[in-house]
Amino acid sequence: MYGIEILVDEHKNIVEFCKSMKSMCCSIIEGNEVDAKLVKECVAFGKTYADHLHHGKEEKILFKIMLEKLGPVADKLIRNGMLVEHDLGRLHMNELLEAADRYEKDPSTLNKLDIITNAAGYATLLNRHIGKEDEVVYTFAERALSAEDKERVDVETKEFDEDPENKANVAKYLEWFEGFRRKYPAR
């Protein structure tokens, strides 16, 4: 199923991003300076690549169709699980951006702590979340959706991915990510 294969591939990038964010946090703990500009770039990656481009596809396409077609089990799984965790990820990204802004004005230990807390919290949340999606949500969708609904997911995913703005953002953020990953390789 094309739509789910794409989401799984994107998960691989997001997991690697989370590893690099934790590596950046470790570097700060070890005494290296906070690069507030880079932290803000991490937020941009999280908000654009992970949230808009990836979670957007899940929410507007796969989850929407699952909610329409798969009844109470899907409703509980999506509304009480996946969407809540998407919102928690957004909270971490917003808090991380605010912490970076505060740190630029006041490079205090407290503001540094807020950067580390939200960056590491986001990484931990997304890693657990991705495991649930890959192992439970996506397998449920592949098993329970009709062939027609699977085709609908695939067609709508291709349309989303072919949108020129979305394509440009994917390329931009994956290029940025390669530099970030080199600077902060997974530990």
Side-chain angles (χ1 to χ4, degrees):
M1 199 174 147
Y2 171 83
I4 288 179
E5 289 171 18
I6 292 298
L7 294 171
V8 168
D9 284 344
E10 291 168 351
H11 276 170
K12 292 173 186 168
N13 293 326
I14 295 166
V15 165
E16 291 303 311
F17 169 68
C18 289
K19 289 177 183 176
S20 291
M21 283 238 300
K22 282 195 166 187
S23 181
M24 178 184 71
C25 291
C26 289
S27 173
I28 294 167
I29 290 169
E30 293 164 352
N32 292 308
E33 288 298 313
V34 172
D35 181 345
K37 179 181 177 284
L38 184 60
V39 171
K40 290 178 181 185
E41 291 170 1
C42 289
V43 171
F45 181 93
K47 285 184 170 210
T48 304
Y49 184 84
D51 194 35
H52 172 71
L53 296 169
H54 175 77
H55 291 155
K57 253 187 296 214
E58 288 174 337
E59 292 174 5
K60 293 174 186 168
I61 302 168
L62 180 63
F63 294 174
K64 178 181 173 204
I65 293 169
M66 290 175 74
L67 289 167
E68 289 171 6
K69 304 291 184 167
L70 300 181
V73 172
D75 190 70
K76 286 181 184 174
L77 182 62
I78 302 300
R79 290 187 202 283
N80 299 335
M82 301 304 98
L83 296 178
V84 169
E85 291 179 357
H86 286 185
D87 284 344
L88 286 171
R90 292 173 184 125
L91 174 65
H92 277 298
M93 283 289 112
N94 289 333
E95 293 292 320
L96 182 57
L97 180 58
E98 289 177 15
D101 285 341
R102 286 192 312 271
Y103 186 84
E104 285 180 319
K105 295 175 183 126
D106 173 23
S108 68
T109 302
L110 182 59
N111 289 329
K112 189 184 296 187
L113 175 64
D114 285 345
I115 288 170
I116 293 168
T117 300
N118 285 292
Y122 177 85
T124 299
L125 171 71
L126 266 284
N127 278 319
R128 291 183 70 238
H129 175 78
I130 286 168
K132 288 184 254 185
E133 285 181 337
D134 287 351
E135 295 167 22
V136 178
V137 177
Y138 296 168
T139 56
F140 175 50
E142 287 181 314
R143 186 179 69 253
L145 288 172
S146 69
E148 180 182 301
D149 292 329
K150 290 176 187 177
E151 178 64 22
R152 182 175 158 207
V153 169
D154 290 348
V155 166
E156 290 182 24
T157 299
K158 286 176 186 171
E159 288 172 359
F160 186 98
D161 287 343
E162 291 301 316
D163 175 82
E165 184 178 348
N166 291 342
K167 280 177 91 164
N169 276 324
V170 167
K172 171 186 172 181
Y173 283 100
L174 288 179
E175 181 180 335
W176 172 87
F177 172 60
E178 286 307 314
F180 181 64
R181 181 170 30 187
R182 280 191 302 277
K183 183 170 183 170
Y184 292 105
R187 294 179 178 219

